[in-house]
Short mmCIF file of all heavy atoms in Angstrom, two decimals:
data_model
loop_
_atom_site.label_atom_id
_atom_site.label_comp_id
_atom_site.label_asym_id
_atom_site.label_seq_id
_atom_site.Cartn_x
_atom_site.Cartn_y
_atom_site.Cartn_z
N SER A 1 7.77 -11.97 10.99
CA SER A 1 8.67 -12.58 11.93
C SER A 1 10.04 -12.01 11.83
O SER A 1 10.86 -11.81 12.78
CB SER A 1 8.83 -14.07 11.67
OG SER A 1 9.11 -14.33 10.33
N VAL A 2 10.53 -11.78 10.51
CA VAL A 2 11.94 -11.26 10.28
C VAL A 2 12.12 -9.81 10.80
O VAL A 2 13.10 -9.47 11.51
CB VAL A 2 12.34 -11.37 8.78
CG1 VAL A 2 13.62 -10.64 8.59
CG2 VAL A 2 12.36 -12.81 8.37
N ALA A 3 11.13 -8.92 10.43
CA ALA A 3 11.28 -7.54 10.90
C ALA A 3 11.10 -7.51 12.51
O ALA A 3 11.86 -6.69 13.12
CB ALA A 3 10.09 -6.73 10.31
N GLY A 4 10.21 -8.29 13.03
CA GLY A 4 10.13 -8.29 14.41
C GLY A 4 11.30 -8.80 15.20
O GLY A 4 11.81 -8.21 16.18
N ALA A 5 11.97 -9.85 14.63
CA ALA A 5 13.14 -10.37 15.22
C ALA A 5 14.28 -9.39 15.09
O ALA A 5 15.12 -9.21 16.01
CB ALA A 5 13.52 -11.78 14.55
N ALA A 6 14.46 -8.76 13.89
CA ALA A 6 15.50 -7.83 13.68
C ALA A 6 15.48 -6.58 14.62
O ALA A 6 16.50 -6.09 15.09
CB ALA A 6 15.55 -7.38 12.21
N ALA A 7 14.26 -6.09 14.88
CA ALA A 7 14.04 -5.00 15.77
C ALA A 7 13.90 -5.33 17.24
O ALA A 7 13.96 -4.48 18.09
CB ALA A 7 12.81 -4.13 15.36
N GLY A 8 13.81 -6.68 17.52
CA GLY A 8 13.56 -7.08 18.91
C GLY A 8 12.24 -6.72 19.40
O GLY A 8 12.04 -6.79 20.60
N ASN A 9 11.33 -6.48 18.55
CA ASN A 9 9.91 -6.13 18.94
C ASN A 9 9.00 -6.49 17.80
O ASN A 9 9.11 -6.02 16.72
CB ASN A 9 9.87 -4.56 19.23
CG ASN A 9 8.48 -4.18 19.79
OD1 ASN A 9 7.48 -4.82 19.74
ND2 ASN A 9 8.43 -3.07 20.49
N TRP A 10 7.94 -7.30 18.10
CA TRP A 10 7.11 -7.86 17.08
C TRP A 10 6.31 -6.72 16.47
O TRP A 10 5.91 -6.87 15.29
CB TRP A 10 6.08 -8.88 17.69
CG TRP A 10 5.13 -8.30 18.74
CD1 TRP A 10 5.33 -8.25 20.04
CD2 TRP A 10 3.83 -7.73 18.50
NE1 TRP A 10 4.29 -7.59 20.73
CE2 TRP A 10 3.36 -7.34 19.79
CE3 TRP A 10 3.20 -7.44 17.35
CZ2 TRP A 10 2.11 -6.72 19.88
CZ3 TRP A 10 1.87 -6.82 17.48
CH2 TRP A 10 1.43 -6.48 18.83
N ARG A 11 6.14 -5.64 17.12
CA ARG A 11 5.31 -4.45 16.59
C ARG A 11 5.97 -3.92 15.32
O ARG A 11 5.15 -3.36 14.46
CB ARG A 11 5.15 -3.40 17.66
CG ARG A 11 4.34 -3.93 18.89
CD ARG A 11 4.16 -2.78 19.96
NE ARG A 11 3.42 -3.25 21.02
CZ ARG A 11 2.08 -3.22 21.17
NH1 ARG A 11 1.44 -2.73 20.12
NH2 ARG A 11 1.51 -3.64 22.22
N TRP A 12 7.25 -4.03 15.16
CA TRP A 12 7.88 -3.50 14.00
C TRP A 12 7.48 -4.31 12.71
O TRP A 12 7.61 -3.77 11.59
CB TRP A 12 9.32 -3.44 14.12
CG TRP A 12 9.83 -2.20 14.94
CD1 TRP A 12 10.13 -2.21 16.23
CD2 TRP A 12 10.03 -0.91 14.40
NE1 TRP A 12 10.48 -0.96 16.64
CE2 TRP A 12 10.39 -0.06 15.51
CE3 TRP A 12 9.86 -0.33 13.15
CZ2 TRP A 12 10.69 1.24 15.43
CZ3 TRP A 12 10.07 1.12 13.02
CH2 TRP A 12 10.54 1.82 14.18
N GLY A 13 7.03 -5.57 12.90
CA GLY A 13 6.53 -6.29 11.80
C GLY A 13 5.26 -5.76 11.17
O GLY A 13 5.01 -5.88 9.96
N LEU A 14 4.47 -5.02 12.08
CA LEU A 14 3.29 -4.36 11.51
C LEU A 14 3.58 -2.91 10.83
O LEU A 14 2.66 -2.40 10.21
CB LEU A 14 2.32 -4.12 12.69
CG LEU A 14 1.81 -5.32 13.38
CD1 LEU A 14 0.91 -4.94 14.48
CD2 LEU A 14 1.20 -6.34 12.45
N ARG A 15 4.79 -2.52 10.84
CA ARG A 15 5.06 -1.14 10.36
C ARG A 15 5.68 -1.14 9.00
O ARG A 15 6.13 -0.02 8.55
CB ARG A 15 5.89 -0.48 11.42
CG ARG A 15 5.21 -0.26 12.77
CD ARG A 15 6.18 0.17 13.88
NE ARG A 15 5.49 0.20 15.16
CZ ARG A 15 6.05 0.23 16.33
NH1 ARG A 15 7.40 0.39 16.43
NH2 ARG A 15 5.36 0.30 17.48
N VAL A 16 5.80 -2.29 8.38
CA VAL A 16 6.37 -2.33 7.06
C VAL A 16 5.38 -2.02 5.98
O VAL A 16 5.58 -1.21 5.22
CB VAL A 16 7.03 -3.83 6.85
CG1 VAL A 16 7.57 -3.90 5.43
CG2 VAL A 16 8.17 -4.04 7.88
N THR A 17 4.22 -2.66 6.08
CA THR A 17 3.21 -2.50 4.95
C THR A 17 2.66 -1.16 4.96
O THR A 17 2.29 -0.60 3.85
CB THR A 17 2.09 -3.55 5.12
OG1 THR A 17 1.54 -3.55 6.44
CG2 THR A 17 2.61 -4.96 4.82
N PRO A 18 2.47 -0.38 6.12
CA PRO A 18 1.90 0.97 6.01
C PRO A 18 2.75 1.87 5.10
O PRO A 18 2.21 2.75 4.38
CB PRO A 18 1.91 1.47 7.45
CG PRO A 18 1.72 0.18 8.22
CD PRO A 18 2.54 -0.93 7.49
N PHE A 19 4.06 1.72 5.12
CA PHE A 19 4.87 2.65 4.25
C PHE A 19 4.66 2.25 2.75
O PHE A 19 4.60 3.05 1.90
CB PHE A 19 6.34 2.47 4.59
CG PHE A 19 6.64 3.18 5.90
CD1 PHE A 19 6.81 2.42 7.14
CD2 PHE A 19 6.83 4.47 6.04
CE1 PHE A 19 7.02 3.02 8.36
CE2 PHE A 19 7.14 5.13 7.25
CZ PHE A 19 7.24 4.39 8.36
N LEU A 20 4.52 0.92 2.50
CA LEU A 20 4.28 0.47 1.12
C LEU A 20 2.86 0.89 0.74
O LEU A 20 2.58 1.19 -0.40
CB LEU A 20 4.34 -1.05 1.10
CG LEU A 20 5.75 -1.69 1.39
CD1 LEU A 20 5.72 -3.21 1.32
CD2 LEU A 20 6.77 -1.12 0.42
N GLY A 21 1.96 1.00 1.79
CA GLY A 21 0.61 1.44 1.44
C GLY A 21 0.58 2.85 1.08
O GLY A 21 -0.22 3.29 0.19
N ALA A 22 1.42 3.73 1.61
CA ALA A 22 1.56 5.12 1.27
C ALA A 22 1.99 5.31 -0.19
O ALA A 22 1.50 6.20 -0.98
CB ALA A 22 2.51 5.86 2.17
N VAL A 23 2.95 4.43 -0.55
CA VAL A 23 3.35 4.43 -1.99
C VAL A 23 2.24 4.08 -2.93
O VAL A 23 1.97 4.64 -3.93
CB VAL A 23 4.55 3.47 -2.17
CG1 VAL A 23 4.96 3.47 -3.68
CG2 VAL A 23 5.67 4.01 -1.35
N ALA A 24 1.40 3.09 -2.53
CA ALA A 24 0.29 2.60 -3.27
C ALA A 24 -0.67 3.67 -3.45
O ALA A 24 -1.35 3.87 -4.60
CB ALA A 24 -0.36 1.44 -2.65
N VAL A 25 -0.98 4.51 -2.44
CA VAL A 25 -2.02 5.53 -2.55
C VAL A 25 -1.56 6.56 -3.62
O VAL A 25 -2.38 7.05 -4.34
CB VAL A 25 -2.16 6.23 -1.18
CG1 VAL A 25 -3.07 7.53 -1.34
CG2 VAL A 25 -2.84 5.26 -0.18
N ILE A 26 -0.32 6.93 -3.63
CA ILE A 26 0.25 7.84 -4.60
C ILE A 26 0.04 7.36 -6.01
O ILE A 26 -0.40 8.03 -6.91
CB ILE A 26 1.72 8.20 -4.31
CG1 ILE A 26 1.83 8.88 -2.99
CG2 ILE A 26 2.32 8.96 -5.41
CD1 ILE A 26 3.28 9.11 -2.52
N LEU A 27 0.42 5.99 -6.18
CA LEU A 27 0.27 5.33 -7.52
C LEU A 27 -1.19 5.31 -7.90
O LEU A 27 -1.52 5.58 -9.13
CB LEU A 27 0.85 4.00 -7.54
CG LEU A 27 2.45 3.93 -7.30
CD1 LEU A 27 2.85 2.50 -7.14
CD2 LEU A 27 3.10 4.60 -8.46
N ILE A 28 -2.10 4.94 -7.06
CA ILE A 28 -3.49 4.87 -7.37
C ILE A 28 -4.01 6.33 -7.80
O ILE A 28 -4.76 6.43 -8.71
CB ILE A 28 -4.35 4.33 -6.12
CG1 ILE A 28 -3.92 2.84 -5.82
CG2 ILE A 28 -5.84 4.49 -6.33
CD1 ILE A 28 -4.42 2.29 -4.53
N THR A 29 -3.65 7.35 -7.07
CA THR A 29 -4.19 8.63 -7.20
C THR A 29 -3.73 9.25 -8.56
O THR A 29 -4.50 9.90 -9.22
CB THR A 29 -3.84 9.52 -6.04
OG1 THR A 29 -4.39 8.98 -4.84
CG2 THR A 29 -4.48 10.87 -6.24
N TRP A 30 -2.41 9.05 -8.87
CA TRP A 30 -1.80 9.75 -10.00
C TRP A 30 -1.55 8.87 -11.19
O TRP A 30 -1.30 9.48 -12.27
CB TRP A 30 -0.58 10.43 -9.49
CG TRP A 30 -0.75 11.38 -8.44
CD1 TRP A 30 -0.45 11.23 -7.07
CD2 TRP A 30 -1.27 12.79 -8.61
NE1 TRP A 30 -0.87 12.35 -6.43
CE2 TRP A 30 -1.28 13.33 -7.29
CE3 TRP A 30 -1.81 13.53 -9.68
CZ2 TRP A 30 -1.74 14.62 -7.09
CZ3 TRP A 30 -2.25 14.76 -9.46
CH2 TRP A 30 -2.20 15.34 -8.13
N VAL A 31 -1.49 7.60 -11.08
CA VAL A 31 -1.15 6.77 -12.20
C VAL A 31 -2.24 5.81 -12.68
O VAL A 31 -2.43 5.59 -13.89
CB VAL A 31 0.10 5.98 -11.92
CG1 VAL A 31 0.59 5.10 -13.18
CG2 VAL A 31 1.29 6.90 -11.45
N MET A 32 -2.91 5.19 -11.76
CA MET A 32 -3.86 4.04 -12.06
C MET A 32 -4.98 4.64 -13.01
O MET A 32 -5.56 5.75 -12.77
CB MET A 32 -4.51 3.53 -10.84
CG MET A 32 -5.30 2.23 -11.06
SD MET A 32 -6.29 1.71 -9.61
CE MET A 32 -7.65 2.86 -9.66
N GLN A 33 -5.39 3.76 -13.91
CA GLN A 33 -6.52 4.20 -14.84
C GLN A 33 -7.87 3.62 -14.22
O GLN A 33 -7.85 2.52 -13.76
CB GLN A 33 -6.32 3.54 -16.20
CG GLN A 33 -7.32 3.90 -17.23
CD GLN A 33 -7.10 3.29 -18.61
OE1 GLN A 33 -6.13 2.52 -18.74
NE2 GLN A 33 -7.89 3.69 -19.61
N ASP A 34 -8.91 4.37 -14.26
CA ASP A 34 -10.17 3.99 -13.88
C ASP A 34 -11.14 4.14 -15.05
O ASP A 34 -11.76 5.16 -15.34
CB ASP A 34 -10.71 4.95 -12.70
CG ASP A 34 -11.97 4.40 -12.17
OD1 ASP A 34 -12.48 3.33 -12.55
OD2 ASP A 34 -12.53 5.16 -11.28
N PRO A 35 -11.28 3.04 -15.86
CA PRO A 35 -12.02 3.13 -17.11
C PRO A 35 -13.64 3.15 -16.77
O PRO A 35 -14.00 2.90 -15.58
CB PRO A 35 -11.73 1.75 -17.75
CG PRO A 35 -11.51 0.84 -16.62
CD PRO A 35 -10.69 1.66 -15.54
N GLU A 36 -14.33 3.54 -17.77
CA GLU A 36 -15.82 3.50 -17.72
C GLU A 36 -16.18 2.05 -17.49
O GLU A 36 -15.57 1.09 -18.02
CB GLU A 36 -16.37 4.09 -18.99
CG GLU A 36 -16.21 5.53 -19.14
CD GLU A 36 -16.96 6.43 -18.10
OE1 GLU A 36 -18.04 5.90 -17.60
OE2 GLU A 36 -16.40 7.49 -17.76
N ARG A 37 -17.34 1.80 -16.76
CA ARG A 37 -17.74 0.52 -16.51
C ARG A 37 -18.26 -0.06 -17.91
O ARG A 37 -19.06 0.50 -18.57
CB ARG A 37 -18.97 0.48 -15.48
CG ARG A 37 -18.45 0.86 -14.09
CD ARG A 37 -19.44 1.41 -13.15
NE ARG A 37 -18.89 1.81 -11.88
CZ ARG A 37 -18.30 2.95 -11.65
NH1 ARG A 37 -18.21 3.80 -12.69
NH2 ARG A 37 -17.81 3.21 -10.52
N GLY A 38 -17.73 -1.36 -18.11
CA GLY A 38 -18.03 -1.96 -19.34
C GLY A 38 -17.16 -1.44 -20.60
O GLY A 38 -17.52 -1.73 -21.72
N HIS A 39 -16.11 -0.72 -20.31
CA HIS A 39 -15.37 -0.09 -21.35
C HIS A 39 -14.82 -1.18 -22.38
O HIS A 39 -14.90 -0.89 -23.60
CB HIS A 39 -14.14 0.64 -20.76
CG HIS A 39 -13.14 1.12 -21.76
ND1 HIS A 39 -13.28 2.18 -22.58
CD2 HIS A 39 -11.82 0.60 -21.95
CE1 HIS A 39 -12.21 2.26 -23.34
NE2 HIS A 39 -11.30 1.34 -22.96
N ALA A 40 -14.23 -2.19 -21.85
CA ALA A 40 -13.64 -3.20 -22.77
C ALA A 40 -14.66 -3.95 -23.69
O ALA A 40 -14.34 -4.22 -24.79
CB ALA A 40 -12.92 -4.34 -21.93
N GLU A 41 -15.86 -4.01 -23.10
CA GLU A 41 -16.95 -4.57 -23.96
C GLU A 41 -17.83 -3.58 -24.67
O GLU A 41 -18.70 -3.84 -25.33
CB GLU A 41 -17.83 -5.36 -23.03
CG GLU A 41 -17.14 -6.56 -22.37
CD GLU A 41 -17.58 -6.95 -21.05
OE1 GLU A 41 -17.69 -5.98 -20.11
OE2 GLU A 41 -17.85 -8.10 -20.70
#
């Protein structure tokens, strides 16, 4: 609601999370650990 109201177009409300998603993809690919299944046990 806030992004849409600020831009005068509701569609801009949908364009916030995609940029955050791009940051998430970088973090997942280069930083996140993917342990072996059952590693903790």
Side-chain angles (χ1 to χ4, degrees):
S1 57
V2 171
N9 187 339
W10 65 268
R11 295 177 180 274
W12 281 98
L14 300 180
R15 296 167 188 168
V16 176
T17 54
F19 289 100
L20 298 176
V23 175
V25 171
I26 295 173
L27 293 174
I28 292 166
T29 305
W30 298 102
V31 181
M32 190 191 80
Q33 184 179 6
D34 185 8
E36 293 292 330
R37 291 159 184 82
H39 167 75
E41 295 146 312

